[in-house]
Amino acid sequence: MNVPMTIPDEALARRILAAVPYKDRFPAGRLRPPVGILPGTVRSLHELHLLLTPDDRSLPGVNLSALADWVEKAVGDGELARKLRTDTANAASYVEGCLKTYELVGARLVQARTAVGGEESS
Amino acid sequence: MALYGYAGKILHLDLTGQKSDAIDTEKYRRWGGGHGMGSALFWDFCKDKSITDGRHPANVCCVMTSPLNGTVVPSAGGRCEVVGVGVGQYPVSWFTRSNFGGRFSTMLKYAGWDGILITGKAPKAIWVDIRNGKVVFRDASGLWGKGTWATQQEIWRLIGAEPGTRNDWQDLRDLKGGSDRDEGKTTQKPAVLTIGPAGENLTGHGSLIHDAGNGAGQGGFGAVWGSKNLKAISVLGTGGIKVADPQALIRARRTVKEKYVTNWEKPDFRAWTRLGGLPKPIVQVAPPTPDRRPQSCQGCINGCRERYSVGYGNESACQETSWYGPFVRKVAKSRAEDTEINLRCADIVQKYGFNSFVLQTGLHWLEHLHEEGVLGKGKKIPSDLPWEKIGTVEFGEKLIVALSTRKDIGADLADGWVQAALKWGREKDLRTGALQFSYWGCPEHGYDPRAELEWGYGSIMGDRDTNTHCFNQIFTTISAAFAFGMTIRIEAEEMVRLHVRKMAPYAQDRPEVLDFSDANMYSEAVAQLVRWQQHYCRFWKQSALFCDLKWPDFYNTNMPNLEGATGSPDAGEQVFWNAVTGDRISLIDGIELGRRIWNLDNAIWVLQGRHRDMVHFAPYLYETKYEKGELFPFYMWPCRDEKGVWKYTDLMGRKLDKAGFEKWKTVFYRLEGWDPASGWPTRQTLEKMDMSFVADELQKAGRLGGGTS
């Protein structure tokens, strides 16, 4: 998918690939019938991407409105945050919003990995 | 006279004397089976019903079947109920229950037994070898310390059962320890129910495990067995079950298939129904391989577990496949790795006989304590576990080992998580919700009591996390439809109508019982809903042993009129019961029997010390709001608005009001015929149910409720 976001510089790329401190974690649950809503948090975009990976057995639980703020303030990626705000606001349903987020975050991670020469930050 | 559906005898294992004897099932027939019979046996055989710790030698544990076990009743043939005083709850471990599937209950029936009553304590570790009517107590010193899978394999070896699936007959006379008097042939391996290290070490996390992934987790029955030095029970049966009306049974089973279940040739993959959905595993991660096949309890039409060619994760399903999920995400590089770690850690909890449900909310609390600098190496709560590796298999295994063997933080958590929180000076975590153990020291299930009232109220008025999904599918179905922006196939008003049509005797055609709006959440109507659920479940699910995930079937989009199978004249629960047993009961008769069983349970709780003043949720449910949209975007449920119009409404964003809930309790007690001042049953109520013997014992203990109902 062609996502019109500029390639991050190395410093931003490392932030995109890094985990935020525990105090900056973002609440993220998962509805898994019949178990219920499982609590959880994410501390990195990679973790968020895994959470949002579609499957036919469960649904991710994230506050999409608050997520963009977290990406901007905790992760420090303003451009991705702006894109998330625009694209999820236009989503026809919550699940579509999650799918758009999944695609955008996935594309951003690819950009960041490329920017650091394929190495993972931690 | 033939006792259709029943084997006719209950096996009493006196562990102290290492003797066994048979109890005539007929004596307990009035209680139906399963939980009802188990409660009645507990009542008769437990010499001290004031005990509040299941590890007490006076505790009695019953492993019970139902008349439907071993038959073709859809999703009712293979469940097994366990009752007794539990371990690890707070403030009291109540007389409680658990339930598991597989083939243990059916094998027990085929061996000629309707259940097992376990009393006393063996002087040393033993296992029990049951082959039809022959019962032998055997030395378990060579099994003690082994995991649940190794124990089962070793027992099969000791008995001489060949590994793998047989394609010819095994003569019982040819087995090790067999004799000329052992008649019968089978293609099956013995069904073994066993404990692992978590039970041996008497931790509240101890489960009973059967085959690879069937477990009775809640209640800590693994610790109950461990305290009795009982490692395992193996059973091999070669008999059968007499069915009163086989034609009626097959006719009803065919009706389910042809009428209520999604048409296999034109499948509706998104059918709204419990009984009628297509077979579907409830494994909570993506499959590790396409080379897999379904696995189910005997007689089930679903198949909620799987086996894989990769050799791990086999037969684990539901919560044990997701207990570690939020942490695995922190380390997994891909979805495939995420699946593998989760399934390998599912195997670990099965092998240790560990109830992973405590970790669903509990591990977040431990992580919180670690990240806050309270728990860890050299910290106030010392722990040498490698917390920096949380999410890995290595950490998962070390955690389970510690919690199963009372090492590290496991020493404090073994006797209960709320107890540990208080010992560690973390009372505030029960107020903030950092520790979400909602009712009786049990972890919040995933259906928050501030939103889903019948789940929370049912749990706190009972003895544990209720884990009964009778109405819960409303939330999951409707919320998923909203999440996807899909067509709502049944609107709110119709949804409640379809439910209450079948909710006699307390709530028939009273749609308001399902209205969970703020204005109705402490009402008499909601009390009737909770009563219906508790009474229905005590008999139909926990005594007749219909599977919780398939029954009741209130609504069903496979049917033109949308009505589900529950209570229907052609395939309702009572049709199957009557076909097997020869009884002529109605759905309501079963609910009434459930009420009696519920009352017997309540009488035991009262003798254990229960009083209404103890019946409270964890403080966070009163003091903090269910954060709106934080862990899922909405919690949809049918509610009436101020004009009385039914709408699916989001229930997030509220907390419970303590005074409101106290008023609700009074209403509930009155409806049950219990003294609202104490929650104790009255003589009048008990006598109306032909339970004077219960009133007499309560009176003797000075715990009979006063006043009239």
Side-chain angles (χ1 to χ4, degrees):
Chain A
M1 182 183 167
N2 181 23
V3 180
M5 285 188 286
T6 55
I7 302 290
D9 61 25
E10 189 176 336
L12 175 58
R14 290 196 184 281
R15 283 206 301 276
I16 289 169
L17 296 172
V20 302
Y22 179 75
K23 66 177 176 55
D24 293 331
R25 67 198 181 280
F26 186 73
R30 189 153 201 103
L31 174 59
R32 294 183 185 273
V35 182
I37 298 175
L38 275 61
T41 59
V42 293
R43 288 172 57 181
S44 70
L45 289 180
H46 169 70
E47 222 182 306
L48 176 67
H49 193 245
L50 263 183
L51 174 85
L52 294 172
T53 307
D55 74 44
D56 62 356
R57 301 171 186 215
S58 63
L59 282 172
V62 285
N63 183 336
L64 291 174
S65 315
L67 180 66
D69 290 346
W70 178 75
V71 169
E72 183 163 25
K73 289 171 188 158
V75 179
D77 188 347
E79 186 173 359
L80 176 60
R82 284 191 293 280
K83 188 75 179 148
L84 285 171
R85 283 191 194 99
T86 314
D87 287 18
T88 57
N90 297 329
S93 68
Y94 167 72
V95 169
E96 194 180 306
C98 287
L99 286 170
K100 283 188 183 296
T101 304
Y102 169 72
E103 289 166 2
L104 285 168
V105 171
R108 195 59 161 166
L109 286 167
V110 170
Q111 285 183 326
R113 285 183 193 122
T114 307
V116 296
E119 85 187 71
E120 281 281 359
S121 286
S122 60
Chain B
M1 184 181 139
L3 204 54
Y4 291 110
Y6 296 92
K9 306 186 305 286
I10 296 162
L11 175 62
H12 175 202
L13 300 176
D14 168 8
L15 300 187
T16 307
Q18 300 204 25
K19 293 179 296 190
S20 67
D21 58 275
I23 299 166
D24 191 352
T25 302
E26 182 68 53
K27 190 180 172 199
Y28 291 91
R29 175 74 166 84
R30 70 174 282 202
W31 300 100
H35 188 100
M37 276 190 185
S39 294
L41 285 160
F42 180 91
W43 184 270
D44 287 351
F45 283 84
C46 181
K47 293 190 170 66
D48 181 1
K49 289 190 269 292
S50 69
I51 59 172
T52 54
D53 186 322
R55 296 165 292 198
H56 192 287
N59 194 15
V60 167
C61 178
C62 304
V63 180
M64 303 303 297
T65 73
S66 125
L68 311 186
N69 288 151
T71 72
V72 297
V73 177
S75 300
R79 303 300 302 177
C80 193
E81 180 85 355
V82 184
V83 301
V85 173
V87 178
Q89 292 186 333
Y90 180 84
V92 162
S93 289
W94 300 116
F95 173 76
T96 190
R97 55 167 297 275
S98 194
N99 187 292
F100 66 97
R103 59 194 182 91
F104 187 85
S105 61
T106 54
M107 193 64 92
L108 197 59
K109 295 274 297 284
Y110 297 156
W113 304 103
D114 288 311
I116 304 173
L117 162 71
I118 303 164
T119 61
K121 175 181 179 178
K124 59 178 185 174
I126 57 155
W127 65 281
V128 181
D129 183 358
I130 303 169
R131 302 182 202 177
N132 289 331
K134 189 165 86 176
V135 180
V136 180
F137 293 84
R138 299 194 186 277
D139 177 13
S141 54
L143 298 175
W144 206 259
K146 286 188 187 300
T148 62
W149 294 357
T151 298
Q152 293 178 76
Q153 287 164 337
E154 180 62 6
I155 286 174
W156 292 333
R157 191 189 69 78
L158 290 169
I159 287 177
E162 292 172 13
T165 305
R166 291 187 67 88
N167 57 10
D168 59 352
W169 292 102
Q170 169 81 60
D171 194 318
L172 263 57
R173 284 175 294 204
D174 299 334
L175 292 172
K176 289 178 188 170
S179 73
D180 288 346
R181 283 180 296 175
D182 292 333
E183 290 182 4
K185 293 178 179 179
T186 183
T187 59
Q188 302 294 302
K189 282 195 285 290
V192 180
L193 185 62
T194 184
I195 63 171
E200 290 175 2
N201 288 290
L202 312 187
T203 79
H205 313 120
S207 305
L208 304 176
I209 301 290
H210 156 56
D211 281 347
N214 302 288
Q218 279 208 47
F221 286 104
V224 173
W225 280 33
S227 72
K228 294 180 176 300
N229 283 325
L230 176 60
K231 176 68 178 175
I233 296 176
S234 165
V235 58
L236 193 56
T238 61
I241 300 302
K242 279 193 179 132
V243 169
D245 188 346
Q247 254 189 333
L249 174 59
I250 296 298
R251 188 166 55 239
R253 166 99 186 197
R254 285 180 64 92
T255 300
V256 167
K257 177 173 181 278
E258 289 161 10
K259 197 169 158 186
Y260 292 99
V261 173
T262 291
N263 185 325
W264 187 253
E265 290 172 353
K266 296 178 192 166
D268 178 357
F269 290 104
R270 296 189 184 275
W272 287 18
T273 164
R274 305 191 79 221
L275 182 64
L278 288 167
K280 192 175 171 188
I282 53 171
V283 181
Q284 304 291 342
V285 290
T289 169
D291 296 329
R292 58 193 171 119
R293 56 186 166 136
Q295 200 271 339
S296 68
C297 301
Q298 198 163 334
C300 186
I301 59 171
N302 190 16
C304 63
R305 300 184 288 270
E306 293 180 302
R307 289 177 182 151
Y308 311 103
S309 62
V310 294
Y312 57 82
N314 288 338
E315 301 186 18
S316 281
C318 210
Q319 195 272 342
E320 66 262 23
T321 60
S322 62
W323 69 265
Y324 205 25
F327 304 93
V328 176
R329 273 202 310 270
K330 298 179 190 306
V331 302
K333 300 266 188 303
S334 64
R335 176 53 70 93
E337 190 183 7
D338 179 89
T339 289
E340 180 169 350
I341 296 174
N342 275 296
L343 291 184
R344 288 197 184 280
C345 288
D347 286 353
I348 291 167
V349 297
Q350 304 288 17
K351 286 194 250 191
Y352 277 84
F354 182 94
N355 175 19
S356 59
F357 222 106
V358 289
L359 297 172
Q360 178 156 308
T361 58
L363 189 49
H364 292 285
W365 178 56
L366 296 178
E367 182 198 34
H368 170 77
L369 295 177
H370 171 66
E371 294 286 352
E372 296 292 322
V374 177
L375 184 155
K377 277 186 186 140
K379 303 293 183 187
K380 185 182 172 197
I381 305 168
S383 171
D384 290 332
L385 292 172
W387 289 94
E388 70 284 0
K389 293 183 180 173
I390 193 168
T392 63
V393 173
E394 179 193 343
F395 178 85
E397 180 153 25
K398 284 184 172 161
L399 176 72
I400 299 304
V401 170
L403 297 184
S404 298
T405 58
R406 293 176 171 265
K407 302 273 166 50
D408 202 80
I409 50 173
D412 287 333
L413 292 167
D415 298 319
W417 285 57
V418 174
Q419 291 88 330
L422 297 177
K423 182 179 177 184
W424 292 344
R426 303 297 304 186
E427 195 268 348
K428 69 173 181 181
D429 294 343
L430 299 166
R431 300 194 169 280
T432 62
L435 178 60
Q436 298 204 347
F437 276 44
S438 317
Y439 15 60
W440 303 129
C442 302
E444 201 269 295
H445 189 99
Y447 302 114
D448 196 295
R450 292 166 289 192
E452 194 165 332
L453 305 181
E454 98 292 356
W455 194 288
Y457 293 5
S459 297
I460 200 67
M461 301 314 290
D463 48 293
R464 45 163 274 180
D465 164 26
T466 184
N467 200 9
T468 47
H469 296 75
C470 299
F471 302 97
N472 166 260
Q473 202 189 15
I474 297 175
F475 156 65
T476 52
T477 304
I478 302 303
S479 295
F482 271 86
F484 279 96
M486 286 160 41
T487 307
I488 300 297
R489 296 177 73 163
I490 303 174
E491 292 295 344
E493 186 166 5
E494 177 72 348
M495 178 65 85
V496 294
R497 189 192 68 79
L498 287 164
H499 279 80
V500 298
R501 279 199 84 238
K502 296 175 181 292
M503 286 180 62
Y506 312 123
Q508 188 163 33
D509 298 328
R510 289 191 61 194
E512 65 271 23
V513 300
L514 279 161
D515 177 3
F516 285 1
S517 64
D518 295 359
N520 201 50
M521 62 193 288
Y522 306 112
S523 64
E524 177 268 349
V526 172
Q528 296 287 22
L529 173 78
V530 174
R531 293 182 75 212
W532 192 94
Q533 173 167 269
Q534 298 305 102
H535 300 172
Y536 172 90
C537 290
R538 273 300 191 261
F539 179 68
W540 289 111
K541 284 192 183 178
Q542 295 151 11
S543 298
L545 298 180
F546 282 89
C547 177
D548 174 55
L549 295 181
K550 283 298 200 186
W551 297 89
D553 190 45
F554 285 114
Y555 58 93
N556 190 323
T557 54
N558 296 320
M559 294 286 292
N561 64 2
L562 303 177
E563 286 186 16
T566 277
S568 67
D570 55 3
E573 295 88 331
Q574 78 286 357
V575 177
F576 290 105
W577 179 271
N578 292 338
V580 172
T581 63
D583 289 349
R584 291 288 175 268
I585 68 168
S586 64
L587 184 77
I588 299 171
D589 293 335
I591 292 171
E592 171 59 16
L593 178 47
R595 185 171 77 96
R596 293 174 189 207
I597 298 166
W598 170 249
N599 270 269
L600 186 57
D601 286 358
N602 184 56
I604 298 170
W605 302 329
V606 168
L607 289 171
Q608 286 187 280
R610 185 178 295 193
H611 186 279
R612 75 165 285 162
D613 292 347
M614 302 165 72
V615 181
H616 300 297
F617 290 106
Y620 80 93
L621 291 168
Y622 303 113
E623 295 176 16
T624 65
K625 285 184 179 174
Y626 185 22
E627 287 296 339
K628 193 167 173 59
E630 191 172 67
L631 297 177
F632 198 71
F634 29 68
Y635 208 109
M636 306 308 286
W637 196 271
C639 296
R640 290 172 299 181
D641 66 14
E642 58 283 358
K643 291 177 185 159
V645 178
W646 284 95
K647 287 177 184 163
Y648 290 120
T649 307
D650 182 8
L651 294 179
M652 284 182 174
R654 70 186 183 191
K655 58 186 175 182
L656 295 179
D657 174 64
K658 199 160 190 174
F661 185 63
E662 284 301 307
K663 281 184 194 160
W664 184 89
K665 275 161 57 181
T666 298
V667 171
F668 183 87
Y669 291 137
R670 285 208 170 107
L671 290 171
E672 290 289 56
W674 301 347
D675 184 344
S678 59
W680 298 348
T682 64
R683 176 171 287 281
Q684 185 187 15
T685 296
L686 293 168
E687 286 185 345
K688 276 186 195 164
M689 292 184 289
D690 196 18
M691 290 167 67
S692 304
F693 65 100
V694 174
D696 293 344
E697 191 161 333
L698 288 170
Q699 189 162 20
K700 216 182 294 172
R703 300 185 77 81
L704 191 60
T708 55
S709 56

